[in-house]
Amino acid sequence: MLFTKPAVNHHPSVTPDELISVSLKTLIDLARPAAGLTHPRSAIRSIQSGGYLSRFKGRGMEFDETRLYQPGDDLRTIDWRVTARTGTPHTKIFREERERPVFISVDDRPAMHFATRGVFKSVLAAKLAALLAWTAEHHGDRIGGQIFSEQDCRELKPQNGKQAVLHLLHALIDRPVQNQPAAYAFEQILARLVKHVRPGSRVYIISDFRGVNEAAEVHLSRLSEHCDVALLFVFDALEQSLPEKGRYRFTDGERDVVMDSADARRLADYRQRFAEHLERLQTLARKENLQLILCGTADDPVQRLKTLLRGQ
C-alpha cells in the first residue's frame, strides 16, 4: 500500500516528525497517563487469600503436584507419564499465578506507516502498546510482546517490572529496515503467537489486520481457547472512505499514484472493501468472544484504552 505523511494535524503540540515516528521519551512519558487507566482486576474480588480470583481463560497456572485421579477431575489434567509408570490414573494439580502475563503483539508492516490525519498507524500502535505495558506494570503483571513485520518477528518473554516495559519500548522504536522480500504472512505471525503465549495470558493484538484469512482465524480461535484476547483495529479515515470528489496524490517517497474519487462505482467499491473487512473482524470477535476496539489515527490513545479496559 502506498502511504503519505498525515495531511491534517489534530495534535497541535506534536512536531511533524512525531506524527510519522515515535521517540523513546514519548513512550516513557506515557507511564503517567497509564497510571490513571482502570485495570480490569479492580472490579474482581477474591474468595481466596490475597483478594484475587482469576477471570481469564485456561489454566494460567503453574504446575504444583501430581495426585491420584478422583472422579470429576478434568480429563485434560491427567498426568499420562505417571499414569503409565504406576498403572494408576494420576492428575496434575496447578496453582494459580499471582501475576498475570500480558502479551502485546504490534504490527509494523509497511501499511502501518500511513495516515492522512492524526499520526501514522504505526505511531498510534506504539503508543497503545506502551500504555498497555505501563498499565500492566502499574498492577504488577508480567509484560511480554511480539513486534512483527513482513520480514521480521521478535518475541519478548513476559517479565516483571519497569525493565520489562523498557525492553518492549526499545523494541518498538528499534525496528529493522524493511528492504528484504516478505518472509511472514499474517497467519504465520499468529501461529508464532499461539506457540509463545502461555495459557491464561491477556493478549492484545494491535494491527490493521490486513491478511486476515481462514488460516489466521483458526489461530485466533486457538489463542482464544486459553487466553483473553483483545483486537485493537488501527485504521485511517481514508481507508474507510475516499473523499466524495477530487484527485489525490499519494507517495511513499519513491512512487506516486493519483486517485480520482469522482467515479461513483469506484467510491462504492472502496467503501465496501473496508466494510467487509470490518464485518469479518466483528463476526470473528463475536464468534470467539474477543474484544474488538476501533482506533482511528486521529483518536486519543488514552481515551480508546479507557473504552477497552472498561469493557474487560
Side-chain angles (χ1 to χ4, degrees), residues 67-260:
R67 63 160 170 77
L68 287 171
Y69 176 84
Q70 298 177 3
D73 285 346
D74 190 336
L75 294 177
R76 294 174 297 179
T77 65
I78 289 179
D79 191 326
W80 294 107
R81 291 184 178 180
V82 176
T83 298
R85 186 174 68 248
T86 63
T88 305
H90 281 69
T91 187
K92 296 178 181 179
I93 302 299
F94 299 84
R95 66 174 181 272
E96 189 171 35
E97 294 179 303
R98 295 285 300 166
E99 300 160 344
R100 187 185 201 184
V102 172
F103 208 89
I104 306 168
S105 177
V106 183
D107 189 346
D108 190 43
R109 294 178 294 174
M112 292 291 289
H113 295 259
F114 170 86
T116 59
R117 63 201 68 195
V119 298
F120 267 17
K121 293 190 291 181
S122 57
V123 172
L124 178 60
K127 289 182 176 181
L128 289 167
L131 285 164
L132 289 168
W134 284 121
T135 301
E137 192 274 333
H138 289 324
H139 293 87
D141 292 326
R142 286 179 293 150
I143 302 102
Q146 178 192 59
I147 316 297
F148 66 91
S149 66
E150 293 178 342
Q151 295 83 16
D152 184 60
C153 184
R154 291 170 289 169
E155 281 87 16
L156 309 177
K157 182 179 178 180
Q159 296 179 327
N160 294 98
K162 292 183 179 179
Q163 286 301 316
V165 179
L166 292 174
H167 192 194
L168 176 65
L169 301 190
H170 278 286
L172 288 169
I173 63 171
D174 182 23
R175 301 173 181 181
V177 178
Q178 301 181 6
N179 56 5
Q180 300 296 322
Y184 293 101
F186 191 53
E187 62 267 23
Q188 293 173 305
I189 297 296
L190 294 177
R192 288 180 59 131
L193 189 61
V194 171
K195 290 181 179 179
H196 283 84
V197 172
R198 295 184 58 183
S201 298
R202 177 65 177 168
V203 181
Y204 300 97
I205 304 175
I206 309 172
S207 174
D208 60 10
F209 296 95
R210 289 174 181 270
V212 168
N213 53 23
E214 291 183 2
E217 291 181 359
V218 168
H219 294 308
L220 285 171
S221 176
R222 290 175 180 171
L223 191 64
S224 70
E225 290 176 0
H226 300 292
C227 299
D228 281 343
V229 182
L231 310 179
L232 282 72
F233 175 36
V234 180
F235 68 97
D236 179 73
L238 189 69
E239 296 174 311
Q240 186 175 21
S241 178
L242 290 171
E244 291 296 337
K245 291 183 180 181
R247 292 171 61 85
Y248 299 89
R249 173 180 172 267
F250 298 88
T251 180
D252 62 0
E254 297 180 357
R255 298 169 297 168
D256 291 357
V257 63
V258 176
M259 181 174 290
D260 189 346

Side-chain angles (χ1 to χ4, degrees), residues 97 270 279:
E97 294 179 303
Y270 189 93
E279 176 60 27

